[in-house]
Amino acid sequence: MSKPNNGLTYAEAGVDIDAGNLLVEKIKPLVRSTRRPGADGEIGGFGGLFDLKAAGFTDPVLVAANDGVGTKLKIAIDAGKLDTIGIDLVAMCVNDIVVQGAEPLFFLDYFATGKLDPEAGASIVGGIAKGCRQAGCALIGGETAEMPGMYHGKDFDLAGFAVGAAERGQMLPTDDIVEGDILLGLASSGLHSNGFSLVRRIVEQSGLGWSDPASFADGLPLAEALLEPTRIYVKSVLSAIRGTHGIKALAHITGGGFPENIPRVLPKDFSAELDLDAIEVPAVFSWLAKTGGVEATEMMRTFNCGIGMVLVVASGQAAQVAAVLQEAGETVTSIGSIVPRRDTGVIYRGAISL
């Protein structure tokens, strides 16, 4: 039998199995650092395992969320700063889980690239592990896909998947939201992970490069200032939920801003009346609005404008809830109240300070 003269290998086709194996070895200690009751922090099997009983649940309802980081990734890639983008990936999932009163338990990631660089991959997963530690959830698995021809140069994409749980009967929102309930806002860390297609267009029009100083951030390089990772609210919010029993609903302010996200957790008979004068808007939003000529209404439906999470709280317990959150490190502002339904789900009072 003649031997084939075409001795092609998978590596010659652009997929390096050895690089994938090296990445797995590099990230094993990172995965172990996310151990928690219910998960042992080991990877390598065909599926990740989690023991709900070991985590302390008796009659749990599971809550799942998945998300990505959007075009914020493009800035991270262009600037070569990959160590925090994984925090964003975790944050976008676990913040969605905690708003339903659930505790995030475990996380899985999907990392796809044209050519696998084990060092870059380890940096990305390092951020994911850090985000998991901040959220108190275990990184129990994931997938790395090397797909030459699908992604060009150093481009890659990320997706995240998280699962949490709450005891049956303890989920949010509650069914007792009433007129006069107070809206508390938790300060964001910056842009979080929404609106970056507009951000990139504004930066392009400004003529600035990613390494140029950011005038709104004490001279930090522009890319680093814009890449400030999304704040993870899980531990502080869970503390307030469990310690006060005064929280009726939570809204994670992501794409769509105030007008799209707050009504999602309100009964159809009520609106949220926001006092815009009470919101302290970080300088990055003012810079974007002025540099891009973006109207206030467009800013508020694209970005969080300084408030990353909104809580609906019983009026008599607002001070107690705020105190618990402040003790946990949050900046808390009373930003409005629940009123009878009007034309829209969110009513503005005052003007946002851009």
Side-chain angles (χ1 to χ4, degrees):
M1 181 181 292
S2 61
K3 293 182 180 179
N5 56 18
N6 185 348
L8 284 175
T9 65
Y10 206 11
E12 289 171 326
V15 179
D16 190 340
I17 294 174
D18 292 334
N21 292 335
L22 177 59
L23 175 59
V24 170
E25 291 305 311
K26 283 180 174 292
I27 67 175
K28 279 184 177 179
L30 299 171
V31 173
R32 291 190 192 107
S33 75
T34 70
R35 282 177 175 160
R36 56 152 292 153
D40 63 8
E42 295 296 332
I43 57 171
F46 285 95
L49 305 178
F50 192 92
D51 185 343
L52 283 167
K53 187 175 181 180
F57 289 91
T58 55
D59 186 19
V61 175
L62 296 180
V63 180
N66 71 294
D67 211 333
V69 186
T71 56
K72 188 173 187 177
L73 279 180
K74 188 61 177 169
I75 298 177
I77 292 166
D78 290 348
K81 181 171 171 51
L82 305 178
D83 58 329
T84 61
I85 204 73
I87 300 174
D88 292 293
L89 184 67
V90 175
M92 296 305 289
C93 296
V94 298
N95 284 343
D96 277 354
I97 284 176
V98 79
V99 300
Q100 295 176 92
E103 175 187 351
L105 300 175
F106 60 86
F107 189 86
L108 300 99
D109 69 277
Y110 176 77
F111 169 42
T113 184
K115 181 171 178 57
L116 184 60
D117 177 342
E119 292 296 332
S123 183
I124 294 163
V125 176
I128 293 171
K130 184 174 183 179
C132 285
R133 293 194 298 271
Q134 289 179 16
C137 66
L139 178 58
I140 66 169
E143 173 69 11
T144 300
E146 190 173 23
M147 298 188 287
M150 285 288 291
Y151 299 91
H152 301 286
K154 296 182 178 181
D155 285 350
F156 64 88
D157 201 4
L158 288 175
F161 311 84
V163 173
E167 293 292 358
R168 195 176 305 275
Q170 296 181 9
M171 312 237 352
L172 297 177
T174 62
D175 60 2
D176 61 344
I177 293 174
V178 297
E179 180 181 357
D181 284 342
I182 300 300
L183 300 173
L184 298 178
L186 305 186
S188 68
S189 56
L191 295 172
H192 287 184
S193 300
N194 302 103
F196 273 86
S197 293
L198 178 56
V199 170
R200 290 168 51 244
R201 178 66 66 87
I202 291 170
V203 170
E204 181 182 345
Q205 290 182 354
S206 76
L208 294 172
W210 298 125
S211 60
D212 290 332
S215 61
F216 56 85
D218 296 327
L220 280 177
L222 182 60
E224 186 174 342
L226 295 174
L227 289 172
E228 179 68 29
T230 306
R231 186 165 182 81
I232 293 176
Y233 299 99
V234 169
K235 291 183 178 179
S236 58
V237 166
L238 285 176
S239 236
I241 290 172
R242 294 165 177 171
T244 70
H245 304 288
I247 297 175
K248 298 184 177 185
L250 292 149
H252 183 200
I253 308 304
T254 56
F258 301 135
E260 298 294 332
N261 288 294
I262 299 176
R264 294 168 67 180
V265 300
L266 298 181
K268 60 181 177 61
D269 296 331
F270 294 102
S271 294
E273 185 174 68
L274 293 186
D275 178 8
L276 298 180
D277 293 325
I279 297 173
E280 185 173 343
V281 180
V284 61
F285 298 102
S286 300
W287 181 82
L288 288 168
K290 291 172 183 174
T291 305
V294 185
E295 297 290 338
T297 53
E298 184 67 13
M299 290 292 296
M300 288 189 291
R301 70 190 297 265
T302 304
F303 301 109
N304 67 65
C305 290
I307 300 294
M309 187 75 75
V310 172
L311 295 77
V312 180
V313 181
S315 59
Q317 292 178 273
Q320 180 192 14
V321 171
V324 172
L325 290 164
Q326 288 164 346
E327 180 66 23
E330 301 295 349
T331 300
V332 187
T333 305
S334 180
I335 60 170
S337 62
I338 298 298
V339 298
R341 178 77 183 195
R342 300 182 197 169
D343 292 337
T344 63
V346 176
I347 301 156
Y348 298 128
R349 187 173 70 245
I352 195 83
S353 181
L354 294 168

